[in-house]
Amino acid sequence: LYFYGKCHCIQDALDVFNAIDEKQKDTVTFNTMIQAYVMCQHYTHALDVYDSMTESLKDSLTHSWAIKACMSSNNVQRGVEIHEYL
């Protein structure tokens, strides 16, 4: 996932992400997909992945990438909401 995101091959990253069984997806998997979306400037999709995560899977890196997506897309209110949750 990281490789595809770094190369801006977001569809390939999404294909790999979607091929992973939901039960096998962990915090690292979700964080890497969010990071790939942010690196490719797909901020809304990054936040969609963030929203799809259960709270137990979210860690400080998850929140950090989500806030970066908010800042980059000028979604200040959402960034504040995520930050206040912390």
Side-chain angles (χ1 to χ4, degrees):
L1 290 172
Y2 177 78
F3 170 78
Y4 287 127
K6 186 80 169 166
C7 295
H8 293 264
C9 299
I10 196 64
Q11 186 58 53
D12 292 326
L14 183 59
D15 291 343
V16 171
F17 182 76
N18 287 336
I20 300 170
D21 185 81
E22 287 299 317
K23 295 175 185 171
Q24 298 297 320
K25 290 179 183 173
D26 61 6
T27 301
V28 173
T29 309
F30 280 101
N31 285 350
T32 305
M33 191 66 226
I34 293 169
Q35 179 184 18
Y37 274 133
V38 170
M39 288 190 300
C40 294
Q41 301 177 349
H42 291 250
Y43 309 119
T44 302
H45 293 299
L47 293 172
D48 290 343
V49 174
Y50 175 83
D51 290 338
S52 75
M53 294 175 71
T54 61
E55 291 303 316
S56 63
L57 285 176
K58 294 177 182 176
D59 64 8
S60 60
L61 191 58
T62 313
H63 299 298
S64 176
W65 279 109
I67 290 171
K68 183 168 178 68
C70 293
M71 289 179 359
S72 298
S73 64
N74 294 318
N75 191 345
V76 176
Q77 181 59 38
R78 184 68 196 281
V80 169
E81 290 170 7
I82 293 169
H83 187 266
E84 285 178 350
Y85 176 78
L86 305 177

Coordinates of all heavy atoms in Angstrom, one line a residue:
L1 N 0.8 -1.2 0.0 CA 0.0 0.0 0.0 C 0.9 1.3 0.0 O 0.6 2.2 -0.8 CB -0.9 0.0 1.2 CG -2.0 -1.0 1.3 CD1 -2.7 -0.9 2.7 CD2 -3.0 -0.7 0.2
Y2 N 1.9 1.3 0.9 CA 2.7 2.4 1.0 C 3.4 2.7 -0.4 O 3.4 3.8 -0.8 CB 3.7 2.3 2.1 CG 4.7 3.5 2.2 CD1 4.3 4.6 2.8 CD2 5.9 3.4 1.7 CE1 5.1 5.7 2.8 CE2 6.8 4.5 1.7 CZ 6.4 5.6 2.3 OH 7.2 6.7 2.4
F3 N 3.9 1.7 -1.0 CA 4.6 1.8 -2.2 C 3.7 2.4 -3.3 O 4.1 3.4 -4.0 CB 5.2 0.5 -2.7 CG 5.7 0.5 -4.1 CD1 7.0 1.0 -4.4 CD2 4.9 0.0 -5.2 CE1 7.4 1.0 -5.7 CE2 5.4 0.0 -6.5 CZ 6.7 0.5 -6.7
Y4 N 2.5 1.9 -3.4 CA 1.6 2.4 -4.4 C 1.2 3.9 -4.1 O 1.1 4.7 -5.0 CB 0.4 1.6 -4.5 CG 0.6 0.3 -5.2 CD1 0.2 -0.9 -4.6 CD2 1.2 0.2 -6.5 CE1 0.4 -2.1 -5.2 CE2 1.4 -1.0 -7.1 CZ 1.0 -2.2 -6.5 OH 1.2 -3.4 -7.1
G5 N 1.0 4.2 -2.9 CA 0.7 5.6 -2.5 C 1.8 6.5 -2.8 O 1.6 7.6 -3.3
K6 N 3.0 6.1 -2.4 CA 4.2 6.9 -2.7 C 4.4 7.2 -4.2 O 4.9 8.2 -4.6 CB 5.5 6.2 -2.1 CG 6.7 7.0 -2.1 CD 6.8 7.9 -1.0 CE 8.2 8.5 -0.9 NZ 8.2 9.7 -0.1
C7 N 4.0 6.2 -5.0 CA 4.2 6.3 -6.5 C 3.0 7.0 -7.1 O 2.9 7.1 -8.3 CB 4.4 5.0 -7.1 SG 6.0 4.2 -6.6
H8 N 2.0 7.4 -6.3 CA 0.8 8.0 -6.7 C -0.1 7.1 -7.6 O -0.8 7.6 -8.5 CB 1.1 9.4 -7.4 CG 1.6 10.4 -6.5 ND1 0.8 11.3 -5.9 CD2 2.8 10.6 -6.0 CE1 1.5 12.1 -5.1 NE2 2.8 11.7 -5.2
C9 N 0.0 5.8 -7.3 CA -0.8 4.8 -8.0 C -1.9 4.4 -7.0 O -2.0 3.3 -6.5 CB 0.0 3.6 -8.3 SG 1.4 3.9 -9.5
I10 N -2.8 5.4 -6.8 CA -3.8 5.3 -5.7 C -4.8 4.2 -6.0 O -5.3 3.5 -5.1 CB -4.5 6.6 -5.4 CG1 -5.3 6.6 -4.1 CG2 -5.4 7.0 -6.6 CD1 -4.4 6.4 -2.9
Q11 N -5.1 3.9 -7.3 CA -6.1 2.9 -7.6 C -5.5 1.5 -7.3 O -6.1 0.6 -6.8 CB -6.5 2.9 -9.1 CG -7.6 1.9 -9.4 CD -8.8 2.1 -8.5 OE1 -9.4 3.1 -8.5 NE2 -9.3 1.0 -7.9
D12 N -4.2 1.3 -7.5 CA -3.5 0.1 -7.2 C -3.5 -0.1 -5.6 O -3.7 -1.2 -5.2 CB -2.1 0.1 -7.7 CG -2.0 0.0 -9.2 OD1 -2.9 -0.7 -9.8 OD2 -1.1 0.6 -9.8
A13 N -3.2 1.0 -4.9 CA -3.2 0.9 -3.5 C -4.6 0.5 -3.0 O -4.8 -0.4 -2.1 CB -2.8 2.2 -2.8
L14 N -5.7 1.1 -3.6 CA -7.0 0.8 -3.2 C -7.4 -0.7 -3.5 O -8.0 -1.4 -2.7 CB -8.0 1.7 -3.9 CG -9.5 1.5 -3.5 CD1 -9.7 1.7 -2.0 CD2 -10.3 2.5 -4.3
D15 N -6.9 -1.2 -4.7 CA -7.1 -2.6 -5.0 C -6.5 -3.5 -4.0 O -7.2 -4.5 -3.6 CB -6.6 -2.8 -6.4 CG -7.3 -2.1 -7.5 OD1 -8.5 -1.7 -7.3 OD2 -6.8 -2.1 -8.7
V16 N -5.3 -3.2 -3.6 CA -4.7 -4.1 -2.5 C -5.5 -4.0 -1.2 O -5.8 -5.0 -0.6 CB -3.2 -3.7 -2.3 CG1 -2.6 -4.4 -1.1 CG2 -2.4 -3.9 -3.6
F17 N -5.8 -2.8 -0.8 CA -6.6 -2.5 0.4 C -7.9 -3.3 0.4 O -8.2 -4.0 1.3 CB -6.8 -1.0 0.6 CG -7.5 -0.7 1.9 CD1 -6.9 -0.7 3.1 CD2 -8.9 -0.3 1.8 CE1 -7.6 -0.4 4.3 CE2 -9.6 0.0 3.0 CZ -8.9 0.0 4.2
N18 N -8.6 -3.2 -0.7 CA -9.9 -3.9 -0.8 C -9.7 -5.4 -0.9 O -10.7 -6.1 -0.6 CB -10.7 -3.4 -2.1 CG -11.2 -2.0 -1.8 OD1 -11.4 -1.5 -0.7 ND2 -11.4 -1.2 -2.9
A19 N -8.6 -5.9 -1.4 CA -8.4 -7.3 -1.5 C -8.1 -8.0 -0.1 O -8.2 -9.2 0.1 CB -7.2 -7.6 -2.4
I20 N -7.8 -7.2 0.9 CA -7.5 -7.7 2.2 C -8.8 -7.9 2.9 O -9.7 -7.0 3.0 CB -6.6 -6.7 3.0 CG1 -5.3 -6.4 2.3 CG2 -6.4 -7.1 4.4 CD1 -4.5 -5.3 2.9
D21 N -8.9 -9.1 3.5 CA -10.2 -9.4 4.2 C -10.3 -8.5 5.4 O -9.4 -8.1 6.1 CB -10.0 -10.9 4.7 CG -11.3 -11.3 5.4 OD1 -12.2 -11.7 4.7 OD2 -11.4 -11.2 6.7
E22 N -11.6 -8.0 5.6 CA -11.9 -7.0 6.7 C -11.3 -7.5 8.0 O -10.9 -6.7 8.8 CB -13.4 -6.8 6.8 CG -13.9 -6.0 5.6 CD -13.3 -4.6 5.5 OE1 -13.2 -3.9 6.6 OE2 -13.0 -4.1 4.4
K23 N -11.4 -8.8 8.3 CA -10.9 -9.3 9.6 C -9.4 -9.2 9.7 O -8.9 -9.3 10.8 CB -11.4 -10.7 9.8 CG -12.9 -10.9 9.9 CD -13.3 -12.3 9.9 CE -14.8 -12.4 9.9 NZ -15.3 -13.8 9.8
Q24 N -8.7 -9.1 8.6 CA -7.3 -9.0 8.6 C -6.7 -7.6 8.6 O -5.5 -7.4 8.9 CB -6.7 -9.7 7.3 CG -7.0 -11.2 7.2 CD -6.4 -12.0 8.4 OE1 -5.3 -11.7 8.8 NE2 -7.2 -12.9 8.9
K25 N -7.6 -6.6 8.4 CA -7.1 -5.2 8.3 C -6.9 -4.8 9.8 O -7.7 -5.0 10.6 CB -8.2 -4.3 7.7 CG -8.3 -4.6 6.2 CD -9.3 -3.7 5.6 CE -9.5 -4.0 4.1 NZ -10.6 -3.2 3.5
D26 N -5.7 -4.2 10.0 CA -5.4 -3.7 11.3 C -5.1 -2.2 11.2 O -5.3 -1.6 10.2 CB -4.2 -4.5 11.9 CG -2.9 -4.4 11.1 OD1 -2.9 -3.6 10.1 OD2 -2.0 -5.1 11.4
T27 N -4.6 -1.7 12.3 CA -4.3 -0.2 12.4 C -3.3 0.2 11.3 O -3.5 1.2 10.7 CB -3.8 0.1 13.8 OG1 -4.8 -0.2 14.8 CG2 -3.5 1.6 13.9
V28 N -2.3 -0.6 11.1 CA -1.3 -0.3 10.2 C -1.8 -0.3 8.7 O -1.6 0.6 7.9 CB -0.1 -1.3 10.2 CG1 0.9 -1.0 9.1 CG2 0.6 -1.2 11.6
T29 N -2.7 -1.2 8.4 CA -3.3 -1.3 7.1 C -4.2 0.0 6.9 O -4.0 0.6 5.8 CB -4.2 -2.5 7.0 OG1 -3.5 -3.7 7.4 CG2 -4.8 -2.7 5.6
F30 N -5.0 0.3 7.8 CA -5.8 1.5 7.6 C -5.0 2.8 7.6 O -5.2 3.7 6.7 CB -6.9 1.6 8.8 CG -8.1 0.8 8.6 CD1 -8.2 -0.4 9.3 CD2 -9.1 1.1 7.8 CE1 -9.3 -1.3 9.1 CE2 -10.2 0.3 7.6 CZ -10.3 -0.9 8.3
N31 N -4.0 2.9 8.5 CA -3.2 4.1 8.5 C -2.4 4.3 7.2 O -2.3 5.4 6.6 CB -2.2 4.0 9.6 CG -2.8 4.3 11.0 OD1 -3.9 4.7 11.1 ND2 -2.0 4.1 12.0
T32 N -2.0 3.2 6.6 CA -1.2 3.2 5.3 C -2.1 3.7 4.2 O -1.7 4.4 3.3 CB -0.5 1.9 5.0 OG1 0.3 1.5 6.2 CG2 0.3 2.0 3.8
M33 N -3.4 3.2 4.2 CA -4.3 3.6 3.2 C -4.7 5.1 3.3 O -4.7 5.8 2.3 CB -5.6 2.7 3.2 CG -6.5 2.9 2.0 SD -5.7 2.3 0.5 CE -6.1 3.7 -0.6
I34 N -4.9 5.5 4.5 CA -5.1 7.0 4.8 C -3.9 7.8 4.3 O -4.1 8.8 3.6 CB -5.4 7.2 6.3 CG1 -6.8 6.6 6.6 CG2 -5.5 8.7 6.5 CD1 -7.0 6.5 8.1
Q35 N -2.8 7.4 4.7 CA -1.5 8.1 4.2 C -1.4 8.1 2.7 O -1.1 9.2 2.2 CB -0.3 7.4 4.8 CG 1.0 8.0 4.5 CD 2.2 7.3 5.0 OE1 2.1 6.1 5.4 NE2 3.3 7.9 5.0
A36 N -1.7 7.0 2.0 CA -1.6 7.0 0.6 C -2.6 8.0 0.0 O -2.2 8.7 -0.9 CB -2.0 5.6 0.1
Y37 N -3.8 8.0 0.5 CA -4.8 9.0 0.0 C -4.3 10.5 0.2 O -4.4 11.3 -0.6 CB -6.1 8.8 0.7 CG -7.1 7.8 0.0 CD1 -7.7 6.9 0.8 CD2 -7.3 7.9 -1.4 CE1 -8.6 6.0 0.1 CE2 -8.1 7.0 -2.0 CZ -8.8 6.0 -1.2 OH -9.6 5.1 -1.8
V38 N -3.7 10.7 1.4 CA -3.3 12.1 1.7 C -2.1 12.4 0.8 O -2.0 13.5 0.2 CB -2.8 12.2 3.2 CG1 -2.1 13.5 3.4 CG2 -4.1 12.1 4.1
M39 N -1.2 11.5 0.6 CA 0.0 11.8 -0.3 C -0.5 12.0 -1.7 O 0.2 12.8 -2.5 CB 1.0 10.6 -0.3 CG 1.7 10.5 1.0 SD 3.1 9.3 1.0 CE 2.3 7.8 0.6
C40 N -1.6 11.5 -2.1 CA -2.1 11.7 -3.5 C -3.2 12.8 -3.5 O -3.9 12.9 -4.6 CB -2.7 10.3 -4.0 SG -1.5 9.1 -4.3
Q41 N -3.3 13.5 -2.5 CA -4.3 14.6 -2.3 C -5.7 14.2 -2.5 O -6.5 15.0 -3.0 CB -3.9 15.7 -3.3 CG -2.5 16.2 -3.1 CD -2.1 17.3 -4.1 OE1 -2.7 17.5 -5.1 NE2 -0.9 17.9 -3.8
H42 N -6.1 13.0 -2.1 CA -7.5 12.6 -2.1 C -8.0 12.6 -0.6 O -8.2 11.6 0.1 CB -7.5 11.1 -2.6 CG -7.2 11.0 -4.0 ND1 -8.2 10.7 -5.0 CD2 -6.1 11.1 -4.7 CE1 -7.6 10.6 -6.2 NE2 -6.3 10.9 -6.0
Y43 N -8.1 13.9 -0.1 CA -8.4 14.1 1.3 C -9.7 13.6 1.7 O -9.9 13.0 2.8 CB -8.2 15.6 1.6 CG -6.9 16.1 1.1 CD1 -6.9 17.2 0.2 CD2 -5.7 15.6 1.6 CE1 -5.7 17.7 -0.3 CE2 -4.5 16.1 1.1 CZ -4.5 17.1 0.2 OH -3.3 17.6 -0.3
T44 N -10.7 13.7 0.9 CA -12.1 13.2 1.3 C -12.1 11.7 1.4 O -12.6 11.2 2.4 CB -13.1 13.6 0.2 OG1 -13.1 15.1 0.1 CG2 -14.5 13.2 0.6
H45 N -11.4 11.0 0.5 CA -11.3 9.6 0.6 C -10.5 9.2 1.9 O -10.8 8.2 2.5 CB -10.6 9.0 -0.6 CG -11.4 9.1 -1.9 ND1 -12.7 8.6 -2.0 CD2 -11.2 9.8 -3.0 CE1 -13.2 8.9 -3.2 NE2 -12.3 9.6 -3.8
A46 N -9.5 9.9 2.2 CA -8.7 9.6 3.4 C -9.6 9.7 4.6 O -9.6 8.8 5.5 CB -7.5 10.6 3.6
L47 N -10.4 10.7 4.7 CA -11.4 10.9 5.8 C -12.5 9.8 5.8 O -12.9 9.4 6.9 CB -12.0 12.3 5.8 CG -10.9 13.4 6.1 CD1 -11.6 14.7 6.0 CD2 -10.4 13.2 7.6
D48 N -12.8 9.3 4.6 CA -13.8 8.2 4.5 C -13.2 7.0 5.2 O -13.9 6.3 5.9 CB -14.2 8.0 3.1 CG -15.0 9.1 2.5 OD1 -15.6 9.9 3.2 OD2 -15.1 9.1 1.2
V49 N -11.9 6.7 4.9 CA -11.3 5.5 5.5 C -11.2 5.7 7.0 O -11.5 4.8 7.8 CB -9.9 5.3 4.9 CG1 -9.2 4.2 5.6 CG2 -10.0 4.9 3.4
Y50 N -10.8 6.9 7.4 CA -10.8 7.2 8.9 C -12.1 7.0 9.5 O -12.2 6.3 10.6 CB -10.4 8.7 9.0 CG -10.4 9.2 10.5 CD1 -9.3 8.9 11.3 CD2 -11.5 9.9 11.0 CE1 -9.3 9.4 12.6 CE2 -11.5 10.3 12.3 CZ -10.4 10.1 13.1 OH -10.4 10.6 14.4
D51 N -13.2 7.4 8.9 CA -14.5 7.3 9.4 C -15.0 5.8 9.5 O -15.8 5.4 10.3 CB -15.6 8.1 8.6 CG -15.4 9.6 8.9 OD1 -14.8 10.0 9.9 OD2 -15.8 10.3 8.0
S52 N -14.4 5.0 8.6 CA -14.8 3.6 8.5 C -14.1 2.7 9.6 O -14.6 1.6 9.8 CB -14.5 3.0 7.1 OG -13.1 2.8 7.0
M53 N -13.1 3.3 10.2 CA -12.4 2.6 11.2 C -13.2 2.5 12.6 O -13.8 3.5 12.9 CB -11.0 3.2 11.5 CG -10.1 3.2 10.4 SD -8.6 4.0 10.7 CE -7.8 2.9 11.9
T54 N -13.0 1.4 13.3 CA -13.6 1.4 14.6 C -12.6 2.2 15.5 O -11.4 2.3 15.2 CB -13.7 -0.1 15.2 OG1 -12.4 -0.6 15.2 CG2 -14.6 -0.9 14.3
E55 N -13.2 2.7 16.6 CA -12.3 3.6 17.5 C -11.2 2.8 18.1 O -10.1 3.3 18.3 CB -13.2 4.1 18.6 CG -14.2 5.2 18.2 CD -13.6 6.3 17.4 OE1 -12.5 6.8 17.9 OE2 -14.1 6.7 16.4
S56 N -11.4 1.5 18.3 CA -10.3 0.7 18.9 C -9.1 0.5 17.9 O -8.0 0.2 18.4 CB -10.8 -0.7 19.3 OG -11.3 -1.4 18.1
L57 N -9.3 0.7 16.6 CA -8.2 0.6 15.7 C -7.4 1.9 15.5 O -6.3 1.9 15.1 CB -8.7 0.1 14.3 CG -9.0 -1.3 14.2 CD1 -9.6 -1.6 12.8 CD2 -7.8 -2.2 14.4
K58 N -8.0 3.0 15.9 CA -7.4 4.3 15.7 C -6.3 4.6 16.8 O -6.5 4.3 17.9 CB -8.4 5.4 15.8 CG -9.4 5.4 14.6 CD -10.5 6.5 14.8 CE -11.5 6.3 13.7 NZ -12.6 7.3 13.8
D59 N -5.2 5.1 16.3 CA -4.1 5.5 17.2 C -3.7 6.9 16.9 O -4.3 7.6 16.1 CB -2.9 4.5 17.1 CG -2.2 4.4 15.7 OD1 -2.6 5.3 14.8 OD2 -1.4 3.6 15.5
S60 N -2.6 7.3 17.5 CA -2.2 8.7 17.3 C -1.8 9.0 15.9 O -2.0 10.1 15.4 CB -1.0 9.1 18.3 OG 0.1 8.2 18.0
L61 N -1.2 8.1 15.2 CA -0.9 8.3 13.8 C -2.1 8.4 12.9 O -2.2 9.2 12.0 CB 0.0 7.1 13.3 CG 0.7 7.3 12.0 CD1 1.5 8.5 11.9 CD2 1.5 6.0 11.6
T62 N -3.1 7.6 13.2 CA -4.4 7.7 12.5 C -5.0 9.1 12.6 O -5.3 9.7 11.6 CB -5.4 6.7 13.1 OG1 -4.9 5.4 13.3 CG2 -6.7 6.6 12.2
H63 N -5.0 9.6 13.8 CA -5.5 10.9 14.0 C -4.7 12.0 13.3 O -5.2 13.0 12.8 CB -5.7 11.2 15.5 CG -6.6 10.3 16.2 ND1 -8.0 10.2 15.9 CD2 -6.4 9.4 17.2 CE1 -8.5 9.3 16.7 NE2 -7.6 8.8 17.5
S64 N -3.4 11.8 13.4 CA -2.5 12.8 12.8 C -2.7 12.8 11.2 O -2.8 13.9 10.7 CB -1.0 12.3 13.0 OG -0.1 13.2 12.4
W65 N -2.8 11.7 10.6 CA -3.1 11.7 9.1 C -4.5 12.3 8.8 O -4.6 13.0 7.8 CB -2.9 10.3 8.5 CG -1.5 9.9 8.3 CD1 -0.8 9.0 9.0 CD2 -0.6 10.5 7.3 NE1 0.5 9.0 8.5 CE2 0.6 9.9 7.4 CE3 -0.8 11.5 6.3 CZ2 1.7 10.2 6.6 CZ3 0.3 11.8 5.5 CH2 1.5 11.2 5.7
A66 N -5.4 12.0 9.7 CA -6.8 12.6 9.4 C -6.7 14.1 9.6 O -7.4 14.8 8.8 CB -7.8 12.0 10.4
I67 N -6.0 14.6 10.6 CA -5.9 16.0 10.8 C -5.2 16.6 9.6 O -5.5 17.7 9.1 CB -5.3 16.4 12.1 CG1 -6.3 16.0 13.2 CG2 -4.9 17.8 12.2 CD1 -5.7 16.1 14.6
K68 N -4.2 16.0 9.1 CA -3.4 16.5 7.9 C -4.4 16.6 6.7 O -4.3 17.5 5.9 CB -2.2 15.6 7.6 CG -1.4 16.1 6.4 CD -0.1 15.4 6.3 CE 0.7 15.8 5.1 NZ 1.2 17.2 5.2
A69 N -5.2 15.6 6.5 CA -6.2 15.6 5.4 C -7.1 16.8 5.6 O -7.5 17.5 4.6 CB -7.0 14.3 5.4
C70 N -7.5 17.0 6.8 CA -8.4 18.2 7.1 C -7.7 19.5 6.8 O -8.3 20.4 6.1 CB -8.9 18.2 8.5 SG -10.0 16.8 8.9
M71 N -6.5 19.6 7.3 CA -5.7 20.9 7.0 C -5.5 21.1 5.5 O -5.7 22.2 5.0 CB -4.4 20.8 7.7 CG -4.5 20.9 9.2 SD -2.9 20.8 10.1 CE -1.6 20.6 8.8
S72 N -5.2 20.1 4.8 CA -4.9 20.2 3.4 C -6.1 20.5 2.6 O -6.0 21.1 1.5 CB -4.2 18.9 2.9 OG -3.0 18.7 3.6
S73 N -7.2 20.1 3.1 CA -8.5 20.4 2.3 C -9.3 21.6 2.9 O -10.4 21.8 2.5 CB -9.4 19.1 2.3 OG -9.8 18.8 3.6
N74 N -8.6 22.3 3.8 CA -9.3 23.4 4.4 C -10.6 23.1 5.2 O -11.5 23.9 5.3 CB -9.5 24.6 3.4 CG -8.3 25.2 2.9 OD1 -7.3 25.4 3.6 ND2 -8.2 25.4 1.6
N75 N -10.6 21.9 5.7 CA -11.8 21.4 6.4 C -11.5 21.6 7.9 O -11.3 20.7 8.7 CB -12.1 19.9 6.1 CG -13.4 19.5 6.7 OD1 -14.0 20.1 7.5 ND2 -13.9 18.3 6.2
V76 N -11.4 22.9 8.3 CA -11.0 23.3 9.6 C -11.9 22.7 10.7 O -11.4 22.1 11.7 CB -10.9 24.8 9.8 CG1 -10.5 25.2 11.2 CG2 -9.9 25.4 8.8
Q77 N -13.2 22.8 10.5 CA -14.2 22.3 11.5 C -13.9 20.8 11.8 O -13.9 20.4 12.9 CB -15.6 22.5 11.0 CG -16.6 22.1 12.0 CD -16.5 22.7 13.4 OE1 -16.2 23.9 13.5 NE2 -16.7 22.0 14.4
R78 N -13.8 20.0 10.8 CA -13.5 18.6 11.0 C -12.2 18.3 11.7 O -12.1 17.5 12.6 CB -13.6 17.9 9.6 CG -13.4 16.4 9.7 CD -14.7 15.8 10.4 NE -14.5 14.4 10.8 CZ -14.5 13.3 10.1 NH1 -14.7 13.4 8.8 NH2 -14.3 12.2 10.6
G79 N -11.2 19.1 11.3 CA -9.9 19.0 12.0 C -10.0 19.3 13.5 O -9.5 18.6 14.3
V80 N -10.8 20.3 13.8 CA -11.0 20.7 15.2 C -11.8 19.5 15.9 O -11.4 19.2 17.1 CB -11.8 22.0 15.3 CG1 -12.3 22.3 16.7 CG2 -10.9 23.2 14.8
E81 N -12.8 19.0 15.3 CA -13.5 17.9 15.9 C -12.6 16.7 16.2 O -12.7 16.1 17.3 CB -14.6 17.4 15.0 CG -15.8 18.4 14.8 CD -16.7 18.1 13.7 OE1 -16.6 17.0 13.1 OE2 -17.6 18.9 13.4
I82 N -11.8 16.3 15.3 CA -10.8 15.2 15.5 C -9.9 15.5 16.6 O -9.6 14.7 17.5 CB -10.1 14.8 14.2 CG1 -11.1 14.3 13.2 CG2 -9.0 13.8 14.5 CD1 -10.5 14.1 11.8
H83 N -9.4 16.8 16.6 CA -8.4 17.2 17.6 C -9.1 17.2 19.0 O -8.5 16.8 20.0 CB -7.8 18.5 17.3 CG -6.7 18.9 18.2 ND1 -7.0 19.7 19.3 CD2 -5.4 18.6 18.2 CE1 -5.8 19.9 20.0 NE2 -4.9 19.3 19.3
E84 N -10.3 17.7 19.1 CA -11.0 17.7 20.4 C -11.3 16.3 20.9 O -11.3 16.1 22.1 CB -12.3 18.5 20.2 CG -12.1 19.9 20.2 CD -13.4 20.7 20.0 OE1 -14.5 20.1 19.7 OE2 -13.4 21.9 20.1
Y85 N -11.4 15.3 20.0 CA -11.7 13.9 20.4 C -10.5 13.4 21.2 O -10.6 12.6 22.1 CB -12.0 13.1 19.2 CG -12.1 11.6 19.5 CD1 -13.3 11.2 20.1 CD2 -11.1 10.7 19.3 CE1 -13.5 9.8 20.4 CE2 -11.3 9.4 19.6 CZ -12.4 9.0 20.2 OH -12.6 7.6 20.5
L86 N -9.3 13.9 20.8 CA -8.1 13.4 21.4 C -8.0 13.8 22.9 O -7.5 13.3 23.7 CB -6.8 13.9 20.7 CG -6.8 13.5 19.2 CD1 -5.5 14.1 18.6 CD2 -6.8 12.1 19.0

